[in-house]
Amino acid sequence: TQSTRPQRLLSAVQKNATRGDPCSVVRAIDDFCRHKEWAMNVGDEKGCILDSVVSEMNPAAVLELGTYCGYSTVRIARLLPPDAKFITLEFNPGFAAIARQVIAWAGLEEKVQLVEGASGDWIPKIKEQFGIKTFDLVFLDHWKDRYLPDTKLMEECGLLRKGSVLLADNVICPGTPDYLEYIRSSPKYESRYFKSHLEYTKVEDGLEKSIFLG
Ligand SMILES: O=C(NCCCCc1cc2cnccc2s1)c1cc(-c2ccc(F)cc2)cc(O)c1O
Ligand SMILES: [Mg+2]
């Protein structure tokens, strides 16, 4: 039977990365996706911007929407303080199964809770299911047409507090025009665009960092 791209990505991690070494997992995925087979990880260039936002915040509670193979999950988890809570949501069971193995190879399975399902279904349940009051950081990297409705849903569910940061991938490519329009014009947010490139390409893309003002 044919292997899937995520399976081939996992094989590259198991072949080229050192167990328990998150940086070697990140490097192995970037090498594979740059030289062998493109995949929709946030990548090394935008990944450095993600790293700087996470390091600057030292967040106690993080939500990632869109795990895929766990690349950004590993990038974030490796920088979190010991008792931080980190939830990552993945819709596709095949992707989730691969991500669990990538996260385990990095030795970070204790720091991450991977939940399978749709953001619209899970966001209203997070408070009670995981004992989380509010998130300090949300990384949006899932269906691009869900960024806006899910942001409004997180507001309604009281998951954001004054100072919570939303960091959104792909605001240019594939693009999230309704989200950008909302977040840049809303008095409830202070936004800044970090210009970069679509992972492993020369195409423009970027991250939008938005601070919830309450
Ligand atoms: O679609 C992208 N990411 C979303 C897929 C995850 C689906 C989920 C839905 C869902 C719902 N609820 C909970 C969890 C989840 S996970 C994506 C696509 C490109 C891209 C692809 C082709 C191309 F030519 C140029 C760019 C680049 C990227 O960086 C991406 O992130
Ligand atoms: Mg993305």
Side-chain angles (χ1 to χ4, degrees):
T1 55
Q2 269 295 322
S3 70
T4 66
R5 179 170 314 191
Q7 282 168 336
R8 292 190 291 274
L9 183 149
L10 172 62
S11 301
V13 166
Q14 292 168 334
K15 178 164 172 278
N16 303 312
T18 309
R19 266 187 180 284
D21 177 355
C23 289
S24 74
V25 168
V26 168
R27 195 171 33 252
I29 294 172
D30 284 330
D31 290 347
F32 177 76
C33 294
R34 186 174 292 284
H35 303 300
K36 298 282 186 337
E37 205 171 347
W38 187 92
M40 60 181 170
N41 317 115
V42 73
D44 45 355
E45 196 179 308
K46 290 186 286 180
C48 283
I49 301 165
L50 171 63
D51 287 359
S52 58
V53 171
V54 175
S55 303
E56 172 196 351
M57 290 193 64
N58 207 27
V62 182
L63 173 64
E64 175 179 62
L65 300 175
T67 317
Y68 187 42
C69 295
Y71 174 89
S72 49
T73 319
V74 167
R75 283 201 84 115
I76 294 166
R78 86 188 202 285
L79 299 174
L80 293 181
D83 45 7
K85 280 197 165 229
F86 182 15
I87 294 171
T88 183
L89 277 187
E90 178 52 51
F91 178 74
N92 179 310
F95 294 169
I98 297 295
R100 289 187 200 286
Q101 296 173 79
V102 167
I103 293 160
W105 196 268
L108 294 168
E109 63 276 18
E110 299 299 310
K111 306 203 74 156
V112 185
Q113 213 158 349
L114 196 162
V115 179
E116 292 181 38
S119 49
D121 301 335
W122 269 103
I123 286 170
K125 296 189 290 190
I126 284 176
K127 271 185 187 270
E128 82 210 82
Q129 293 281 325
F130 300 101
I132 284 184
K133 287 196 303 296
T134 56
F135 285 107
D136 304 308
L137 172 65
V138 181
F139 181 52
L140 295 93
D141 194 21
H142 63 322
W143 287 320
K144 308 316 163 191
D145 62 0
R146 287 296 313 181
Y147 283 27
L148 180 52
D150 286 342
T151 296
K152 290 178 172 173
L153 190 54
M154 286 188 287
E155 289 176 22
E156 285 152 23
C157 297
L159 283 168
L160 305 178
R161 48 111 178 133
K162 222 183 271 299
S164 290
V165 168
L166 304 185
L167 189 65
D169 189 28
N170 309 119
V171 295
I172 303 300
C173 176
T176 62
D178 60 342
Y179 173 80
L180 275 190
E181 159 63 30
Y182 171 80
I183 210 88
R184 289 177 173 171
S185 60
S186 167
K188 292 188 279 187
Y189 293 90
E190 183 61 44
S191 277
R192 181 181 161 197
Y193 174 59
F194 291 80
K195 184 176 166 62
S196 184
H197 295 93
L198 176 69
E199 47 268 28
Y200 318 115
T201 78
K202 293 184 165 56
V203 174
E204 183 182 342
D205 189 23
L207 299 175
E208 187 82 359
K209 179 188 174 191
S210 306
I211 301 172
F212 185 60
L213 303 174

mmCIF file of all heavy atoms in Angstrom, residues 38-42 46 64-68 88-92 95 115-120 122 140-144 146-147 150 169-170 173-174 198-199 205, ligand 1:
data_model
loop_
_atom_site.group_PDB
_atom_site.id
_atom_site.type_symbol
_atom_site.label_atom_id
_atom_site.label_comp_id
_atom_site.label_asym_id
_atom_site.label_seq_id
_atom_site.Cartn_x
_atom_site.Cartn_y
_atom_site.Cartn_z
ATOM 1 N N TRP A 38 7.655 18.913 -0.345
ATOM 2 C CA TRP A 38 7.014 20.016 0.358
ATOM 3 C C TRP A 38 5.890 19.526 1.252
ATOM 4 O O TRP A 38 5.150 18.602 0.892
ATOM 5 C CB TRP A 38 6.458 21.007 -0.665
ATOM 6 C CG TRP A 38 5.924 22.275 -0.068
ATOM 7 C CD1 TRP A 38 6.609 23.438 0.140
ATOM 8 C CD2 TRP A 38 4.592 22.503 0.406
ATOM 9 N NE1 TRP A 38 5.796 24.383 0.717
ATOM 10 C CE2 TRP A 38 4.548 23.835 0.896
ATOM 11 C CE3 TRP A 38 3.427 21.727 0.497
ATOM 12 C CZ2 TRP A 38 3.399 24.411 1.443
ATOM 13 C CZ3 TRP A 38 2.277 22.278 1.029
ATOM 14 C CH2 TRP A 38 2.271 23.616 1.499
ATOM 15 N N ALA A 39 5.730 20.140 2.425
ATOM 16 C CA ALA A 39 4.560 19.862 3.278
ATOM 17 C C ALA A 39 4.198 21.144 4.011
ATOM 18 O O ALA A 39 5.029 22.030 4.170
ATOM 19 C CB ALA A 39 4.861 18.738 4.268
ATOM 20 N N MET A 40 2.946 21.231 4.476
ATOM 21 C CA MET A 40 2.415 22.500 4.967
ATOM 22 C C MET A 40 2.732 22.786 6.442
ATOM 23 O O MET A 40 1.874 23.229 7.204
ATOM 24 C CB MET A 40 0.909 22.572 4.726
ATOM 25 C CG MET A 40 0.101 21.486 5.415
ATOM 26 S SD MET A 40 -1.665 21.678 5.015
ATOM 27 C CE MET A 40 -2.288 20.146 5.669
ATOM 28 N N ASN A 41 4.025 22.548 6.822
ATOM 29 C CA ASN A 41 4.476 22.955 8.149
ATOM 30 C C ASN A 41 4.717 24.452 8.128
ATOM 31 O O ASN A 41 4.980 25.005 7.071
ATOM 32 C CB ASN A 41 5.800 22.266 8.507
ATOM 33 C CG ASN A 41 5.834 20.806 8.134
ATOM 34 O OD1 ASN A 41 6.617 20.386 7.283
ATOM 35 N ND2 ASN A 41 4.972 20.032 8.762
ATOM 36 N N VAL A 42 4.681 25.105 9.284
ATOM 37 C CA VAL A 42 4.930 26.550 9.306
ATOM 38 C C VAL A 42 6.339 26.841 8.770
ATOM 39 O O VAL A 42 6.593 27.917 8.220
ATOM 40 C CB VAL A 42 4.671 27.151 10.709
ATOM 41 C CG1 VAL A 42 5.768 26.766 11.699
ATOM 42 C CG2 VAL A 42 4.493 28.656 10.652
ATOM 43 N N LYS A 46 9.161 31.219 9.066
ATOM 44 C CA LYS A 46 8.045 31.667 9.935
ATOM 45 C C LYS A 46 8.204 31.043 11.326
ATOM 46 O O LYS A 46 7.808 31.640 12.333
ATOM 47 C CB LYS A 46 6.697 31.301 9.306
ATOM 48 C CG LYS A 46 6.336 32.103 8.052
ATOM 49 C CD LYS A 46 4.932 31.783 7.578
ATOM 50 C CE LYS A 46 4.880 30.408 6.927
ATOM 51 N NZ LYS A 46 3.477 30.076 6.458
ATOM 52 N N GLU A 64 -3.131 25.421 20.078
ATOM 53 C CA GLU A 64 -2.757 25.385 18.660
ATOM 54 C C GLU A 64 -3.926 24.791 17.904
ATOM 55 O O GLU A 64 -4.431 23.704 18.257
ATOM 56 C CB GLU A 64 -1.505 24.522 18.443
ATOM 57 C CG GLU A 64 -1.119 24.335 16.981
ATOM 58 C CD GLU A 64 0.135 23.492 16.817
ATOM 59 O OE1 GLU A 64 0.157 22.316 17.200
ATOM 60 O OE2 GLU A 64 1.141 24.038 16.324
ATOM 61 N N LEU A 65 -4.389 25.479 16.887
ATOM 62 C CA LEU A 65 -5.460 24.981 16.016
ATOM 63 C C LEU A 65 -4.807 24.526 14.721
ATOM 64 O O LEU A 65 -4.344 25.345 13.930
ATOM 65 C CB LEU A 65 -6.504 26.082 15.761
ATOM 66 C CG LEU A 65 -7.198 26.629 17.006
ATOM 67 C CD1 LEU A 65 -8.120 27.803 16.652
ATOM 68 C CD2 LEU A 65 -7.989 25.531 17.721
ATOM 69 N N GLY A 66 -4.749 23.203 14.536
ATOM 70 C CA GLY A 66 -4.098 22.641 13.352
ATOM 71 C C GLY A 66 -2.737 22.087 13.699
ATOM 72 O O GLY A 66 -1.735 22.782 13.645
ATOM 73 N N THR A 67 -2.684 20.810 14.043
ATOM 74 C CA THR A 67 -1.441 20.139 14.436
ATOM 75 C C THR A 67 -0.643 19.691 13.218
ATOM 76 O O THR A 67 0.575 19.851 13.162
ATOM 77 C CB THR A 67 -1.754 18.899 15.296
ATOM 78 O OG1 THR A 67 -2.768 19.214 16.253
ATOM 79 C CG2 THR A 67 -0.507 18.358 15.974
ATOM 80 N N TYR A 68 -1.354 19.125 12.225
ATOM 81 C CA TYR A 68 -0.788 18.479 11.036
ATOM 82 C C TYR A 68 0.186 17.387 11.515
ATOM 83 O O TYR A 68 -0.209 16.476 12.217
ATOM 84 C CB TYR A 68 -0.178 19.510 10.079
ATOM 85 C CG TYR A 68 0.264 18.906 8.760
ATOM 86 C CD1 TYR A 68 -0.536 17.966 8.095
ATOM 87 C CD2 TYR A 68 1.481 19.250 8.196
ATOM 88 C CE1 TYR A 68 -0.121 17.396 6.899
ATOM 89 C CE2 TYR A 68 1.897 18.690 6.991
ATOM 90 C CZ TYR A 68 1.094 17.768 6.352
ATOM 91 O OH TYR A 68 1.518 17.200 5.177
ATOM 92 N N THR A 88 -3.310 21.010 21.499
ATOM 93 C CA THR A 88 -3.286 21.142 20.049
ATOM 94 C C THR A 88 -4.428 20.329 19.448
ATOM 95 O O THR A 88 -4.651 19.180 19.837
ATOM 96 C CB THR A 88 -1.911 20.743 19.449
ATOM 97 O OG1 THR A 88 -1.934 20.973 18.038
ATOM 98 C CG2 THR A 88 -1.554 19.306 19.731
ATOM 99 N N LEU A 89 -5.173 20.957 18.548
ATOM 100 C CA LEU A 89 -6.356 20.337 17.933
ATOM 101 C C LEU A 89 -6.045 19.916 16.502
ATOM 102 O O LEU A 89 -5.513 20.713 15.724
ATOM 103 C CB LEU A 89 -7.515 21.334 17.886
ATOM 104 C CG LEU A 89 -8.393 21.548 19.096
ATOM 105 C CD1 LEU A 89 -9.565 22.472 18.719
ATOM 106 C CD2 LEU A 89 -8.941 20.252 19.640
ATOM 107 N N GLU A 90 -6.369 18.685 16.166
ATOM 108 C CA GLU A 90 -6.230 18.207 14.783
ATOM 109 C C GLU A 90 -7.518 17.515 14.361
ATOM 110 O O GLU A 90 -8.056 16.707 15.105
ATOM 111 C CB GLU A 90 -5.034 17.266 14.646
ATOM 112 C CG GLU A 90 -4.847 16.672 13.248
ATOM 113 C CD GLU A 90 -4.834 17.695 12.115
ATOM 114 O OE1 GLU A 90 -4.079 18.681 12.185
ATOM 115 O OE2 GLU A 90 -5.621 17.500 11.178
ATOM 116 N N PHE A 91 -7.974 17.849 13.141
ATOM 117 C CA PHE A 91 -9.236 17.305 12.632
ATOM 118 C C PHE A 91 -9.047 15.929 11.995
ATOM 119 O O PHE A 91 -9.902 15.057 12.098
ATOM 120 C CB PHE A 91 -9.815 18.292 11.601
ATOM 121 C CG PHE A 91 -11.084 17.823 10.962
ATOM 122 C CD1 PHE A 91 -12.271 17.842 11.680
ATOM 123 C CD2 PHE A 91 -11.114 17.351 9.659
ATOM 124 C CE1 PHE A 91 -13.463 17.412 11.106
ATOM 125 C CE2 PHE A 91 -12.292 16.915 9.084
ATOM 126 C CZ PHE A 91 -13.472 16.948 9.808
ATOM 127 N N ASN A 92 -7.911 15.754 11.314
ATOM 128 C CA ASN A 92 -7.678 14.557 10.510
ATOM 129 C C ASN A 92 -6.993 13.468 11.343
ATOM 130 O O ASN A 92 -5.853 13.649 11.791
ATOM 131 C CB ASN A 92 -6.793 14.960 9.307
ATOM 132 C CG ASN A 92 -6.467 13.794 8.407
ATOM 133 O OD1 ASN A 92 -6.030 12.747 8.872
ATOM 134 N ND2 ASN A 92 -6.667 13.985 7.115
ATOM 135 N N PHE A 95 -3.438 12.475 10.283
ATOM 136 C CA PHE A 95 -2.420 13.478 10.657
ATOM 137 C C PHE A 95 -2.129 13.364 12.160
ATOM 138 O O PHE A 95 -0.975 13.399 12.584
ATOM 139 C CB PHE A 95 -2.900 14.902 10.351
ATOM 140 C CG PHE A 95 -3.096 15.243 8.895
ATOM 141 C CD1 PHE A 95 -3.736 16.431 8.542
ATOM 142 C CD2 PHE A 95 -2.656 14.395 7.883
ATOM 143 C CE1 PHE A 95 -3.926 16.776 7.200
ATOM 144 C CE2 PHE A 95 -2.849 14.722 6.548
ATOM 145 C CZ PHE A 95 -3.487 15.916 6.205
ATOM 146 N N VAL A 115 -5.667 16.739 20.781
ATOM 147 C CA VAL A 115 -7.098 16.413 20.792
ATOM 148 C C VAL A 115 -7.580 16.318 19.347
ATOM 149 O O VAL A 115 -7.253 17.186 18.523
ATOM 150 C CB VAL A 115 -7.881 17.502 21.556
ATOM 151 C CG1 VAL A 115 -9.372 17.208 21.553
ATOM 152 C CG2 VAL A 115 -7.363 17.623 22.987
ATOM 153 N N GLU A 116 -8.308 15.247 19.036
ATOM 154 C CA GLU A 116 -8.803 15.058 17.673
ATOM 155 C C GLU A 116 -10.237 15.563 17.564
ATOM 156 O O GLU A 116 -11.082 15.186 18.369
ATOM 157 C CB GLU A 116 -8.756 13.577 17.282
ATOM 158 C CG GLU A 116 -7.347 13.044 17.154
ATOM 159 C CD GLU A 116 -7.327 11.580 16.734
ATOM 160 O OE1 GLU A 116 -8.178 11.183 15.902
ATOM 161 O OE2 GLU A 116 -6.474 10.833 17.252
ATOM 162 N N GLY A 117 -10.476 16.400 16.564
ATOM 163 C CA GLY A 117 -11.838 16.889 16.349
ATOM 164 C C GLY A 117 -11.819 18.259 15.722
ATOM 165 O O GLY A 117 -10.758 18.816 15.430
ATOM 166 N N ALA A 118 -13.019 18.817 15.498
ATOM 167 C CA ALA A 118 -13.165 20.102 14.822
ATOM 168 C C ALA A 118 -13.148 21.241 15.843
ATOM 169 O O ALA A 118 -13.747 21.120 16.919
ATOM 170 C CB ALA A 118 -14.464 20.130 14.021
ATOM 171 N N SER A 119 -12.477 22.333 15.481
ATOM 172 C CA SER A 119 -12.339 23.476 16.397
ATOM 173 C C SER A 119 -13.695 23.979 16.870
ATOM 174 O O SER A 119 -13.872 24.273 18.058
ATOM 175 C CB SER A 119 -11.588 24.601 15.690
ATOM 176 O OG SER A 119 -12.154 24.842 14.411
ATOM 177 N N GLY A 120 -14.651 24.050 15.944
ATOM 178 C CA GLY A 120 -15.975 24.575 16.292
ATOM 179 C C GLY A 120 -16.665 23.740 17.359
ATOM 180 O O GLY A 120 -17.399 24.274 18.185
ATOM 181 N N TRP A 122 -14.904 21.741 19.619
ATOM 182 C CA TRP A 122 -14.072 21.641 20.823
ATOM 183 C C TRP A 122 -13.919 22.947 21.590
ATOM 184 O O TRP A 122 -13.893 22.942 22.827
ATOM 185 C CB TRP A 122 -12.687 21.083 20.470
ATOM 186 C CG TRP A 122 -12.657 19.602 20.591
ATOM 187 C CD1 TRP A 122 -12.701 18.688 19.588
ATOM 188 C CD2 TRP A 122 -12.624 18.855 21.805
ATOM 189 N NE1 TRP A 122 -12.706 17.413 20.096
ATOM 190 C CE2 TRP A 122 -12.648 17.485 21.455
ATOM 191 C CE3 TRP A 122 -12.583 19.199 23.163
ATOM 192 C CZ2 TRP A 122 -12.623 16.464 22.406
ATOM 193 C CZ3 TRP A 122 -12.546 18.195 24.113
ATOM 194 C CH2 TRP A 122 -12.574 16.837 23.730
ATOM 195 N N LEU A 140 -3.046 29.949 15.279
ATOM 196 C CA LEU A 140 -4.074 29.546 14.304
ATOM 197 C C LEU A 140 -3.401 29.058 13.030
ATOM 198 O O LEU A 140 -2.643 29.810 12.386
ATOM 199 C CB LEU A 140 -5.006 30.718 13.985
ATOM 200 C CG LEU A 140 -5.865 31.238 15.137
ATOM 201 C CD1 LEU A 140 -5.145 32.387 15.833
ATOM 202 C CD2 LEU A 140 -7.230 31.709 14.669
ATOM 203 N N ASP A 141 -3.624 27.783 12.715
ATOM 204 C CA ASP A 141 -2.981 27.190 11.532
ATOM 205 C C ASP A 141 -3.868 26.098 10.943
ATOM 206 O O ASP A 141 -3.379 25.138 10.347
ATOM 207 C CB ASP A 141 -1.609 26.620 11.922
ATOM 208 C CG ASP A 141 -0.750 26.314 10.704
ATOM 209 O OD1 ASP A 141 -1.025 26.885 9.625
ATOM 210 O OD2 ASP A 141 0.180 25.491 10.826
ATOM 211 N N HIS A 142 -5.176 26.256 11.095
ATOM 212 C CA HIS A 142 -6.110 25.237 10.612
ATOM 213 C C HIS A 142 -6.861 25.726 9.384
ATOM 214 O O HIS A 142 -6.322 26.527 8.615
ATOM 215 C CB HIS A 142 -7.036 24.805 11.772
ATOM 216 C CG HIS A 142 -7.929 25.886 12.329
ATOM 217 N ND1 HIS A 142 -7.518 27.193 12.466
ATOM 218 C CD2 HIS A 142 -9.206 25.810 12.807
ATOM 219 C CE1 HIS A 142 -8.509 27.887 13.007
ATOM 220 N NE2 HIS A 142 -9.544 27.065 13.214
ATOM 221 N N TRP A 143 -8.084 25.302 9.151
ATOM 222 C CA TRP A 143 -8.832 25.749 7.968
ATOM 223 C C TRP A 143 -8.851 27.276 7.957
ATOM 224 O O TRP A 143 -9.210 27.916 8.965
ATOM 225 C CB TRP A 143 -10.270 25.251 8.009
ATOM 226 C CG TRP A 143 -10.441 23.807 7.742
ATOM 227 C CD1 TRP A 143 -9.776 23.046 6.815
ATOM 228 C CD2 TRP A 143 -11.351 22.925 8.409
ATOM 229 N NE1 TRP A 143 -10.226 21.735 6.883
ATOM 230 C CE2 TRP A 143 -11.188 21.650 7.841
ATOM 231 C CE3 TRP A 143 -12.281 23.090 9.427
ATOM 232 C CZ2 TRP A 143 -11.919 20.548 8.266
ATOM 233 C CZ3 TRP A 143 -13.020 22.013 9.847
ATOM 234 C CH2 TRP A 143 -12.839 20.750 9.272
ATOM 235 N N LYS A 144 -8.489 27.865 6.834
ATOM 236 C CA LYS A 144 -8.323 29.326 6.784
ATOM 237 C C LYS A 144 -9.662 30.050 6.926
ATOM 238 O O LYS A 144 -9.705 31.168 7.414
ATOM 239 C CB LYS A 144 -7.594 29.727 5.504
ATOM 240 C CG LYS A 144 -6.277 28.954 5.297
ATOM 241 C CD LYS A 144 -5.439 28.843 6.565
ATOM 242 C CE LYS A 144 -4.379 27.756 6.474
ATOM 243 N NZ LYS A 144 -3.724 27.471 7.785
ATOM 244 N N ARG A 146 -11.851 29.172 8.984
ATOM 245 C CA ARG A 146 -12.322 29.007 10.367
ATOM 246 C C ARG A 146 -11.623 29.973 11.315
ATOM 247 O O ARG A 146 -11.964 30.039 12.495
ATOM 248 C CB ARG A 146 -12.098 27.565 10.851
ATOM 249 C CG ARG A 146 -13.018 26.510 10.271
ATOM 250 C CD ARG A 146 -14.475 26.682 10.641
ATOM 251 N NE ARG A 146 -14.713 26.941 12.064
ATOM 252 C CZ ARG A 146 -15.929 27.098 12.579
ATOM 253 N NH1 ARG A 146 -16.995 27.030 11.798
ATOM 254 N NH2 ARG A 146 -16.090 27.341 13.877
ATOM 255 N N TYR A 147 -10.601 30.724 10.799
ATOM 256 C CA TYR A 147 -9.883 31.631 11.709
ATOM 257 C C TYR A 147 -10.849 32.644 12.327
ATOM 258 O O TYR A 147 -10.833 32.858 13.541
ATOM 259 C CB TYR A 147 -8.791 32.400 10.955
ATOM 260 C CG TYR A 147 -7.516 31.670 10.616
ATOM 261 C CD1 TYR A 147 -7.456 30.300 10.431
ATOM 262 C CD2 TYR A 147 -6.338 32.399 10.441
ATOM 263 C CE1 TYR A 147 -6.257 29.669 10.077
ATOM 264 C CE2 TYR A 147 -5.137 31.778 10.089
ATOM 265 C CZ TYR A 147 -5.113 30.415 9.924
ATOM 266 O OH TYR A 147 -3.926 29.801 9.578
ATOM 267 N N ASP A 150 -13.782 31.040 14.577
ATOM 268 C CA ASP A 150 -13.220 30.468 15.812
ATOM 269 C C ASP A 150 -12.686 31.543 16.748
ATOM 270 O O ASP A 150 -12.712 31.378 17.971
ATOM 271 C CB ASP A 150 -12.132 29.445 15.467
ATOM 272 C CG ASP A 150 -12.722 28.146 14.937
ATOM 273 O OD1 ASP A 150 -13.939 27.906 15.152
ATOM 274 O OD2 ASP A 150 -11.991 27.361 14.308
ATOM 275 N N ASP A 169 -1.091 31.899 11.117
ATOM 276 C CA ASP A 169 -0.272 31.546 9.965
ATOM 277 C C ASP A 169 -1.063 31.759 8.670
ATOM 278 O O ASP A 169 -2.294 31.773 8.681
ATOM 279 C CB ASP A 169 0.164 30.069 10.062
ATOM 280 C CG ASP A 169 1.191 29.704 8.998
ATOM 281 O OD1 ASP A 169 1.949 30.603 8.568
ATOM 282 O OD2 ASP A 169 1.238 28.534 8.580
ATOM 283 N N ASN A 170 -0.368 31.945 7.564
ATOM 284 C CA ASN A 170 -0.968 31.937 6.214
ATOM 285 C C ASN A 170 -1.940 33.077 5.929
ATOM 286 O O ASN A 170 -2.878 32.919 5.137
ATOM 287 C CB ASN A 170 -1.706 30.610 5.968
ATOM 288 C CG ASN A 170 -0.866 29.412 6.272
ATOM 289 O OD1 ASN A 170 -1.202 28.627 7.137
ATOM 290 N ND2 ASN A 170 0.262 29.266 5.577
ATOM 291 N N CYS A 173 -0.942 33.616 2.166
ATOM 292 C CA CYS A 173 -1.049 32.428 1.314
ATOM 293 C C CYS A 173 -1.190 31.164 2.153
ATOM 294 O O CYS A 173 -0.314 30.873 2.945
ATOM 295 C CB CYS A 173 0.194 32.310 0.416
ATOM 296 S SG CYS A 173 0.190 30.806 -0.571
ATOM 297 N N PRO A 174 -2.328 30.474 2.082
ATOM 298 C CA PRO A 174 -3.484 30.672 1.188
ATOM 299 C C PRO A 174 -4.290 31.939 1.425
ATOM 300 O O PRO A 174 -5.024 32.352 0.544
ATOM 301 C CB PRO A 174 -4.350 29.436 1.461
ATOM 302 C CG PRO A 174 -3.444 28.430 2.024
ATOM 303 C CD PRO A 174 -2.438 29.204 2.817
ATOM 304 N N LEU A 198 5.905 31.780 2.339
ATOM 305 C CA LEU A 198 5.274 30.466 2.447
ATOM 306 C C LEU A 198 6.373 29.448 2.667
ATOM 307 O O LEU A 198 7.434 29.524 2.021
ATOM 308 C CB LEU A 198 4.510 30.161 1.150
ATOM 309 C CG LEU A 198 3.866 28.783 1.075
ATOM 310 C CD1 LEU A 198 2.705 28.679 2.050
ATOM 311 C CD2 LEU A 198 3.423 28.483 -0.352
ATOM 312 N N GLU A 199 6.153 28.549 3.606
ATOM 313 C CA GLU A 199 7.169 27.569 3.989
ATOM 314 C C GLU A 199 7.875 26.962 2.774
ATOM 315 O O GLU A 199 7.258 26.535 1.817
ATOM 316 C CB GLU A 199 6.556 26.449 4.855
ATOM 317 C CG GLU A 199 5.273 25.839 4.347
ATOM 318 C CD GLU A 199 4.046 26.531 4.918
ATOM 319 O OE1 GLU A 199 4.108 27.730 5.250
ATOM 320 O OE2 GLU A 199 2.986 25.888 4.973
ATOM 321 N N ASP A 205 4.222 35.184 2.281
ATOM 322 C CA ASP A 205 3.226 34.842 3.280
ATOM 323 C C ASP A 205 3.666 35.567 4.551
ATOM 324 O O ASP A 205 4.671 36.286 4.550
ATOM 325 C CB ASP A 205 3.136 33.326 3.519
ATOM 326 C CG ASP A 205 1.946 32.957 4.395
ATOM 327 O OD1 ASP A 205 0.986 33.755 4.459
ATOM 328 O OD2 ASP A 205 1.980 31.877 5.029
HETATM 329 O O1 LIG B 1 -4.573 24.349 4.769
HETATM 330 C C1 LIG B 1 -3.600 24.553 5.494
HETATM 331 N N1 LIG B 1 -3.655 24.229 6.782
HETATM 332 C C2 LIG B 1 -4.889 23.686 7.348
HETATM 333 C C3 LIG B 1 -5.030 22.185 7.182
HETATM 334 C C4 LIG B 1 -5.569 21.654 8.481
HETATM 335 C C5 LIG B 1 -7.025 21.286 8.473
HETATM 336 C C6 LIG B 1 -7.600 21.368 9.823
HETATM 337 C C7 LIG B 1 -8.868 21.736 10.112
HETATM 338 C C8 LIG B 1 -9.183 21.732 11.497
HETATM 339 C C9 LIG B 1 -10.390 22.016 12.145
HETATM 340 N N2 LIG B 1 -10.518 21.963 13.498
HETATM 341 C C10 LIG B 1 -9.462 21.613 14.249
HETATM 342 C C11 LIG B 1 -8.237 21.306 13.687
HETATM 343 C C12 LIG B 1 -8.113 21.379 12.302
HETATM 344 S S1 LIG B 1 -6.745 21.042 11.288
HETATM 345 C C13 LIG B 1 -2.346 25.146 4.950
HETATM 346 C C14 LIG B 1 -2.184 25.171 3.567
HETATM 347 C C15 LIG B 1 -1.018 25.691 2.997
HETATM 348 C C16 LIG B 1 -0.844 25.718 1.525
HETATM 349 C C17 LIG B 1 -1.285 24.649 0.748
HETATM 350 C C18 LIG B 1 -1.121 24.685 -0.633
HETATM 351 C C19 LIG B 1 -0.512 25.783 -1.234
HETATM 352 F F1 LIG B 1 -0.327 25.795 -2.579
HETATM 353 C C20 LIG B 1 -0.060 26.834 -0.473
HETATM 354 C C21 LIG B 1 -0.236 26.815 0.920
HETATM 355 C C22 LIG B 1 -0.007 26.194 3.825
HETATM 356 C C23 LIG B 1 -0.174 26.179 5.195
HETATM 357 O O2 LIG B 1 0.802 26.666 6.024
HETATM 358 C C24 LIG B 1 -1.329 25.672 5.765
HETATM 359 O O3 LIG B 1 -1.449 25.702 7.127
#
